[in-house]
């Protein structure tokens, strides 16, 4: 069973701080990694994808991938209360199906 | 452009009844997926359509679940008869025709149907 693990949180950070969300995965052959954000009662929304080792930056978001350690993280700089949501790590299996972690709940306090 | 839509948004039924969920993917998307999130668990893959064909139904829990995508547009997921453990949020997602690596396809999710079986 291929697994994706996340700390469920809640992770609480003050406004303006850096939020760090972590994800580990069990399938060493995984090539693609996605971070989805889900507000309560809404659909998961893709915010970052990463395929190569290292960092990928998009605005206030940075995804970090370390395939040797089977570890992917998401950093949110200058966190805003509007960033409060559940963040889902997703890793495709050999085909199209996404394997999700349980998600980390982030709370940004004003 | 309209996103993925799902109907109904909520459904409350009794054990043994039948429920049909509908998903309308983004126009032009050949790939359509169904996922489910049971309370306290992660979102789990159910099945994948390419146009009207089932590409992968390895996640379907049992034969009480039937998915169709006639004409390759919208899809329905029928649960018959429903059991208590079927309660959860059913998500539909879609992605465009594959032009590159399957594992890099972005899947766009709908808001989900919240199913409660009493």
């Amino acid at each position: 069973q291929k697994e994706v693990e996340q700390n469920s949180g809640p992770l609480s950070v003050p406004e303006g701080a850096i939020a760090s969300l972590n994800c580990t995965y069990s399938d060493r052959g995984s090539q693609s990694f996605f971070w989805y954000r889900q507000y309560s009662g809404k659909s998961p929304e893709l915010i970052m994808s990463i395929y190569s080792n290292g960092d990928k930056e998009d605005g206030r978001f940075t995804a970090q991938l370390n395939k040797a350690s089977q570890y992917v993280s998401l950093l949110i700089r200058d966190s805003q209360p509007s960033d409060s949501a559940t963040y889902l790590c997703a890793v495709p299996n050999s085909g199209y199906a996404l394997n999700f972690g349980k998600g980390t709940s982030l709370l940004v306090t004003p | 452009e309209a996103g993925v839509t799902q109907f109904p948004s909520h459904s409350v039924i009794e054990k043994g009844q039948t429920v049909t969920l509908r998903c309308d993917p983004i126009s032009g998307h050949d790939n359509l997926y169904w996922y489910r999130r049971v309370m306290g668990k992660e979102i789990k893959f159910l099945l994948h359509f390419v146009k009207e064909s089932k590409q992968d139904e390895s996640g379907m829990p049992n034969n009480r679940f039937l998915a169709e995508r006639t004409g390759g547009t919208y899809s329905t997921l029928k649960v018959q008869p429903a059991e208590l453990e079927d309660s959860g949020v059913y998500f539909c997602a879609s992605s465009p025709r594959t032009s590159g690596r399957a594992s890099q396809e972005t899947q766009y999710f709908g808001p989900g149907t919240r199913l409660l079986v009493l």
Side-chain angles (χ1 to χ4, degrees):
Chain A
Q1 176 71 19
K2 299 172 183 176
E3 295 182 347
V4 178
E5 300 286 343
Q6 295 180 256
N7 188 323
S8 61
L11 173 65
S12 182
V13 300
E15 183 174 356
I18 296 176
S20 177
L21 305 162
N22 304 316
C23 172
T24 59
Y25 58 94
S26 63
D27 184 3
R28 187 169 289 277
S30 295
Q31 297 293 318
S32 303
F33 307 87
F34 301 96
W35 282 100
Y36 282 82
R37 176 178 63 198
Q38 185 178 23
Y39 294 110
S40 180
K42 302 296 184 182
S43 56
E45 174 194 12
L46 181 70
I47 54 171
M48 288 288 286
S49 58
I50 187 167
Y51 312 118
S52 303
N53 274 331
D55 295 359
K56 178 182 177 182
E57 187 174 317
D58 184 0
R60 295 187 296 111
F61 298 97
T62 299
Q64 299 176 319
L65 175 60
N66 184 326
K67 290 184 178 180
S69 300
Q70 295 176 242
Y71 176 95
V72 57
S73 64
L74 178 70
L75 302 179
I76 307 175
R77 290 183 301 281
D78 187 24
S79 295
Q80 301 296 310
S82 59
D83 294 326
S84 299
T86 296
Y87 290 80
L88 303 165
C89 176
V91 183
N93 65 9
S94 56
Y96 286 79
L98 292 175
N99 293 313
F100 281 89
K102 288 185 179 181
T104 297
S105 176
L106 173 67
L107 177 64
V108 181
T109 56
Chain B
E1 179 182 279
V4 177
T5 58
Q6 293 186 244
F7 183 82
S9 59
H10 296 77
S11 182
V12 181
I13 61 172
E14 293 187 351
K15 175 182 174 181
Q17 289 185 323
T18 297
V19 63
T20 301
L21 313 180
R22 172 169 170 147
C23 168
D24 287 80
I26 293 172
S27 178
H29 281 195
D30 286 345
N31 295 295
L32 187 149
Y33 316 83
W34 283 99
Y35 291 84
R36 176 175 74 170
R37 183 167 196 163
V38 173
M39 185 175 290
K41 302 289 187 180
E42 64 275 17
I43 297 174
K44 288 277 196 183
F45 168 79
L46 297 178
L47 88 159
H48 168 215
F49 285 98
V50 177
K51 296 185 179 179
E52 66 275 10
S53 300
K54 292 177 185 175
Q55 191 76 10
D56 179 359
E57 49 185 331
S58 61
M60 293 288 264
N62 52 61
N63 59 10
R64 294 186 294 103
F65 289 75
L66 175 63
E68 296 180 323
R69 193 184 182 195
T70 305
T73 54
Y74 71 92
S75 174
T76 58
L77 179 65
K78 180 189 289 187
V79 185
Q80 179 182 29
E83 298 289 345
L84 300 180
E85 63 265 25
D86 300 332
S87 296
V89 183
Y90 290 77
F91 290 103
C92 176
S94 70
S95 68
R97 182 192 305 271
T98 302
S99 58
R101 297 173 67 175
S103 63
Q104 295 185 5
E105 285 272 320
T106 296
Q107 297 184 21
Y108 299 88
F109 280 76
T113 292
R114 283 144 188 81
L115 175 64
L116 178 60
V117 182
L118 301 176

